[in-house]
mmCIF file of all heavy atoms in Angstrom:
data_model
loop_
_atom_site.group_PDB
_atom_site.id
_atom_site.type_symbol
_atom_site.label_atom_id
_atom_site.label_comp_id
_atom_site.label_asym_id
_atom_site.label_seq_id
_atom_site.Cartn_x
_atom_site.Cartn_y
_atom_site.Cartn_z
ATOM 1 N N GLU Z 114 78.956 77.366 96.986
ATOM 2 C CA GLU Z 114 78.087 76.504 96.183
ATOM 3 C C GLU Z 114 78.203 75.028 96.393
ATOM 4 O O GLU Z 114 77.226 74.279 96.418
ATOM 5 C CB GLU Z 114 78.466 76.855 94.633
ATOM 6 C CG GLU Z 114 77.945 78.201 94.175
ATOM 7 C CD GLU Z 114 76.322 78.255 94.286
ATOM 8 O OE1 GLU Z 114 75.725 77.650 93.504
ATOM 9 O OE2 GLU Z 114 75.923 79.188 95.139
ATOM 10 N N SER Z 115 79.443 74.640 96.547
ATOM 11 C CA SER Z 115 79.813 73.272 96.787
ATOM 12 C C SER Z 115 79.107 72.799 98.050
ATOM 13 O O SER Z 115 78.489 71.643 98.166
ATOM 14 C CB SER Z 115 81.254 72.969 96.745
ATOM 15 O OG SER Z 115 81.615 71.686 97.263
ATOM 16 N N ALA Z 116 79.215 73.621 99.140
ATOM 17 C CA ALA Z 116 78.759 73.225 100.487
ATOM 18 C C ALA Z 116 77.166 73.253 100.285
ATOM 19 O O ALA Z 116 76.623 72.154 100.801
ATOM 20 C CB ALA Z 116 79.098 74.280 101.574
ATOM 21 N N ARG Z 117 76.595 74.072 99.655
ATOM 22 C CA ARG Z 117 75.104 74.080 99.530
ATOM 23 C C ARG Z 117 74.587 72.882 98.772
ATOM 24 O O ARG Z 117 73.589 72.158 99.068
ATOM 25 C CB ARG Z 117 74.560 75.333 98.770
ATOM 26 C CG ARG Z 117 74.541 76.701 99.691
ATOM 27 C CD ARG Z 117 74.236 77.816 98.840
ATOM 28 N NE ARG Z 117 74.391 79.027 99.522
ATOM 29 C CZ ARG Z 117 74.563 80.256 99.026
ATOM 30 N NH1 ARG Z 117 74.599 80.435 97.627
ATOM 31 N NH2 ARG Z 117 74.659 81.258 99.778
ATOM 32 N N GLU Z 118 75.327 72.584 97.625
ATOM 33 C CA GLU Z 118 74.862 71.383 96.791
ATOM 34 C C GLU Z 118 75.063 70.138 97.563
ATOM 35 O O GLU Z 118 74.127 69.286 97.561
ATOM 36 C CB GLU Z 118 75.784 71.406 95.576
ATOM 37 C CG GLU Z 118 75.354 72.079 94.393
ATOM 38 C CD GLU Z 118 76.304 72.080 93.274
ATOM 39 O OE1 GLU Z 118 77.066 71.164 93.108
ATOM 40 O OE2 GLU Z 118 76.411 73.173 92.551
ATOM 41 N N ASN Z 119 76.154 69.988 98.225
ATOM 42 C CA ASN Z 119 76.417 68.691 98.894
ATOM 43 C C ASN Z 119 75.585 68.494 100.039
ATOM 44 O O ASN Z 119 75.030 67.344 100.247
ATOM 45 C CB ASN Z 119 77.907 68.583 99.239
ATOM 46 C CG ASN Z 119 78.794 68.224 98.047
ATOM 47 O OD1 ASN Z 119 78.815 67.207 97.593
ATOM 48 N ND2 ASN Z 119 79.459 69.275 97.522
ATOM 49 N N LEU Z 120 75.160 69.481 100.831
ATOM 50 C CA LEU Z 120 74.304 69.324 101.959
ATOM 51 C C LEU Z 120 72.858 69.024 101.475
ATOM 52 O O LEU Z 120 72.209 68.178 101.939
ATOM 53 C CB LEU Z 120 74.279 70.642 102.845
ATOM 54 C CG LEU Z 120 75.675 70.859 103.675
ATOM 55 C CD1 LEU Z 120 75.728 72.212 104.167
ATOM 56 C CD2 LEU Z 120 75.676 69.831 104.874
ATOM 57 N N GLY Z 121 72.551 69.773 100.362
ATOM 58 C CA GLY Z 121 71.177 69.617 99.807
ATOM 59 C C GLY Z 121 70.928 68.139 99.204
ATOM 60 O O GLY Z 121 70.036 67.631 99.442
ATOM 61 N N ALA Z 122 72.023 67.666 98.658
ATOM 62 C CA ALA Z 122 71.948 66.291 98.098
ATOM 63 C C ALA Z 122 71.749 65.217 99.264
ATOM 64 O O ALA Z 122 70.988 64.215 99.014
ATOM 65 C CB ALA Z 122 73.215 65.949 97.313
ATOM 66 N N ILE Z 123 72.283 65.564 100.400
ATOM 67 C CA ILE Z 123 72.122 64.570 101.490
ATOM 68 C C ILE Z 123 70.755 64.897 102.227
ATOM 69 O O ILE Z 123 70.273 64.058 102.911
ATOM 70 C CB ILE Z 123 73.332 64.756 102.522
ATOM 71 C CG1 ILE Z 123 74.602 64.494 101.805
ATOM 72 C CG2 ILE Z 123 73.212 63.854 103.713
ATOM 73 C CD1 ILE Z 123 75.866 64.823 102.529
ATOM 74 N N GLY Z 124 70.255 66.068 101.870
ATOM 75 C CA GLY Z 124 69.031 66.381 102.640
ATOM 76 C C GLY Z 124 69.169 67.093 104.006
ATOM 77 O O GLY Z 124 68.425 66.952 104.943
ATOM 78 N N ILE Z 125 70.381 67.810 104.193
ATOM 79 C CA ILE Z 125 70.526 68.496 105.425
ATOM 80 C C ILE Z 125 70.269 70.042 105.249
ATOM 81 O O ILE Z 125 70.669 70.579 104.363
ATOM 82 C CB ILE Z 125 72.060 68.287 105.833
ATOM 83 C CG1 ILE Z 125 72.320 66.806 106.180
ATOM 84 C CG2 ILE Z 125 72.309 69.216 107.109
ATOM 85 C CD1 ILE Z 125 73.685 66.564 106.585
ATOM 86 N N LEU Z 126 69.324 70.474 106.241
ATOM 87 C CA LEU Z 126 69.059 71.856 106.180
ATOM 88 C C LEU Z 126 70.110 72.834 106.518
ATOM 89 O O LEU Z 126 70.664 72.510 107.581
ATOM 90 C CB LEU Z 126 67.660 72.024 107.097
ATOM 91 C CG LEU Z 126 67.104 73.402 107.167
ATOM 92 C CD1 LEU Z 126 66.438 73.842 105.976
ATOM 93 C CD2 LEU Z 126 66.404 73.560 108.537
ATOM 94 N N ILE Z 127 70.178 73.864 105.667
ATOM 95 C CA ILE Z 127 71.155 74.934 106.234
ATOM 96 C C ILE Z 127 70.303 75.989 106.930
ATOM 97 O O ILE Z 127 69.427 76.630 106.421
ATOM 98 C CB ILE Z 127 71.749 75.596 104.966
ATOM 99 C CG1 ILE Z 127 72.531 74.582 104.163
ATOM 100 C CG2 ILE Z 127 72.709 76.702 105.436
ATOM 101 C CD1 ILE Z 127 73.169 75.087 102.914
ATOM 102 N N GLU Z 128 70.552 75.939 108.284
ATOM 103 C CA GLU Z 128 69.861 76.877 109.170
ATOM 104 C C GLU Z 128 70.116 78.335 108.985
ATOM 105 O O GLU Z 128 69.371 79.243 109.018
ATOM 106 C CB GLU Z 128 70.005 76.479 110.663
ATOM 107 C CG GLU Z 128 69.255 75.318 111.004
ATOM 108 C CD GLU Z 128 69.444 75.112 112.522
ATOM 109 O OE1 GLU Z 128 70.580 75.359 113.174
ATOM 110 O OE2 GLU Z 128 68.476 74.773 113.301
ATOM 111 N N SER Z 129 71.469 78.525 108.843
ATOM 112 C CA SER Z 129 71.779 80.034 108.649
ATOM 113 C C SER Z 129 73.222 80.020 107.964
ATOM 114 O O SER Z 129 73.960 78.978 107.866
ATOM 115 C CB SER Z 129 71.860 80.803 109.997
ATOM 116 O OG SER Z 129 72.933 80.275 110.714
ATOM 117 N N GLU Z 130 73.484 81.161 107.314
ATOM 118 C CA GLU Z 130 74.707 81.427 106.593
ATOM 119 C C GLU Z 130 75.254 82.807 106.981
ATOM 120 O O GLU Z 130 74.610 83.727 107.103
ATOM 121 C CB GLU Z 130 74.395 81.297 105.132
ATOM 122 C CG GLU Z 130 74.016 79.926 104.583
ATOM 123 C CD GLU Z 130 73.858 80.107 102.997
ATOM 124 O OE1 GLU Z 130 73.801 81.091 102.432
ATOM 125 O OE2 GLU Z 130 73.828 78.941 102.412
ATOM 126 N N ASP Z 131 76.655 82.840 107.028
ATOM 127 C CA ASP Z 131 77.323 84.186 107.018
ATOM 128 C C ASP Z 131 78.339 84.036 106.064
ATOM 129 O O ASP Z 131 79.417 83.589 106.461
ATOM 130 C CB ASP Z 131 77.675 84.560 108.500
ATOM 131 C CG ASP Z 131 78.217 85.934 108.499
ATOM 132 O OD1 ASP Z 131 78.467 86.541 107.447
ATOM 133 O OD2 ASP Z 131 78.573 86.424 109.669
ATOM 134 N N VAL Z 132 78.012 84.299 104.777
ATOM 135 C CA VAL Z 132 78.935 83.881 103.777
ATOM 136 C C VAL Z 132 79.172 85.098 102.820
ATOM 137 O O VAL Z 132 78.445 86.020 102.779
ATOM 138 C CB VAL Z 132 78.607 82.733 102.904
ATOM 139 C CG1 VAL Z 132 78.478 81.431 103.692
ATOM 140 C CG2 VAL Z 132 77.167 82.909 102.377
ATOM 141 N N GLY Z 133 80.268 84.956 101.967
ATOM 142 C CA GLY Z 133 80.591 85.955 100.895
ATOM 143 C C GLY Z 133 81.128 87.242 101.377
ATOM 144 O O GLY Z 133 81.739 87.318 102.544
ATOM 145 N N GLY Z 134 81.001 88.209 100.686
ATOM 146 C CA GLY Z 134 81.569 89.538 100.993
ATOM 147 C C GLY Z 134 83.008 89.556 100.911
ATOM 148 O O GLY Z 134 83.667 88.714 100.280
ATOM 149 N N THR Z 135 83.709 90.520 101.498
ATOM 150 C CA THR Z 135 85.086 90.712 101.319
ATOM 151 C C THR Z 135 85.866 90.770 102.630
ATOM 152 O O THR Z 135 86.995 91.241 102.754
ATOM 153 C CB THR Z 135 85.504 92.067 100.584
ATOM 154 O OG1 THR Z 135 84.911 93.048 101.388
ATOM 155 C CG2 THR Z 135 84.923 92.050 99.210
ATOM 156 N N ILE Z 136 85.208 90.034 103.693
ATOM 157 C CA ILE Z 136 85.962 90.160 104.936
ATOM 158 C C ILE Z 136 86.269 88.734 105.497
ATOM 159 O O ILE Z 136 85.570 87.773 105.143
ATOM 160 C CB ILE Z 136 85.007 90.869 106.048
ATOM 161 C CG1 ILE Z 136 83.646 90.144 106.111
ATOM 162 C CG2 ILE Z 136 84.956 92.300 105.786
ATOM 163 C CD1 ILE Z 136 82.904 90.395 107.400
ATOM 164 N N GLY Z 137 87.339 88.730 106.332
ATOM 165 C CA GLY Z 137 87.723 87.505 107.037
ATOM 166 C C GLY Z 137 86.783 87.302 108.274
ATOM 167 O O GLY Z 137 86.322 88.289 108.752
ATOM 168 N N ARG Z 138 86.583 86.007 108.707
ATOM 169 C CA ARG Z 138 85.798 85.692 109.787
ATOM 170 C C ARG Z 138 86.577 84.642 110.673
ATOM 171 O O ARG Z 138 87.233 83.905 110.305
ATOM 172 C CB ARG Z 138 84.478 85.038 109.305
ATOM 173 C CG ARG Z 138 83.600 86.057 108.416
ATOM 174 C CD ARG Z 138 82.479 85.264 107.851
ATOM 175 N NE ARG Z 138 81.462 86.075 107.124
ATOM 176 C CZ ARG Z 138 81.592 86.286 105.784
ATOM 177 N NH1 ARG Z 138 82.683 85.923 105.053
ATOM 178 N NH2 ARG Z 138 80.640 87.048 105.198
ATOM 179 N N SER Z 139 85.927 84.647 111.986
ATOM 180 C CA SER Z 139 86.312 83.564 112.899
ATOM 181 C C SER Z 139 84.968 83.009 113.363
ATOM 182 O O SER Z 139 83.925 83.702 113.339
ATOM 183 C CB SER Z 139 87.044 84.107 114.113
ATOM 184 O OG SER Z 139 88.419 84.459 113.740
ATOM 185 N N ALA Z 140 84.989 81.737 113.696
ATOM 186 C CA ALA Z 140 83.675 81.106 114.095
ATOM 187 C C ALA Z 140 83.945 80.164 115.267
ATOM 188 O O ALA Z 140 84.884 79.446 115.273
ATOM 189 C CB ALA Z 140 83.041 80.318 112.901
ATOM 190 N N GLU Z 141 82.971 80.135 116.247
ATOM 191 C CA GLU Z 141 83.044 79.109 117.226
ATOM 192 C C GLU Z 141 81.669 78.474 117.461
ATOM 193 O O GLU Z 141 80.626 79.130 117.435
ATOM 194 C CB GLU Z 141 83.486 79.671 118.481
ATOM 195 C CG GLU Z 141 82.965 80.960 118.998
ATOM 196 C CD GLU Z 141 83.664 81.419 120.299
ATOM 197 O OE1 GLU Z 141 84.753 82.095 120.232
ATOM 198 O OE2 GLU Z 141 83.152 81.038 121.386
ATOM 199 N N LEU Z 142 81.655 77.133 117.462
ATOM 200 C CA LEU Z 142 80.494 76.297 117.616
ATOM 201 C C LEU Z 142 80.397 75.854 119.137
ATOM 202 O O LEU Z 142 81.293 75.247 119.672
ATOM 203 C CB LEU Z 142 80.503 75.075 116.812
ATOM 204 C CG LEU Z 142 79.497 73.940 117.008
ATOM 205 C CD1 LEU Z 142 78.137 74.350 116.635
ATOM 206 C CD2 LEU Z 142 79.860 72.759 116.211
#
Side-chain angles (χ1 to χ4, degrees):
Chain Z
E114 286 299 292
S115 172
R117 285 176 184 157
E118 267 170 36
N119 284 285
L120 290 165
I123 303 166
I125 293 177
L126 175 77
I127 300 172
E128 278 187 322
S129 72
E130 294 184 344
D131 186 350
V132 296
T135 57
I136 55 161
R138 299 168 171 92
S139 288
E141 49 183 87
L142 167 67

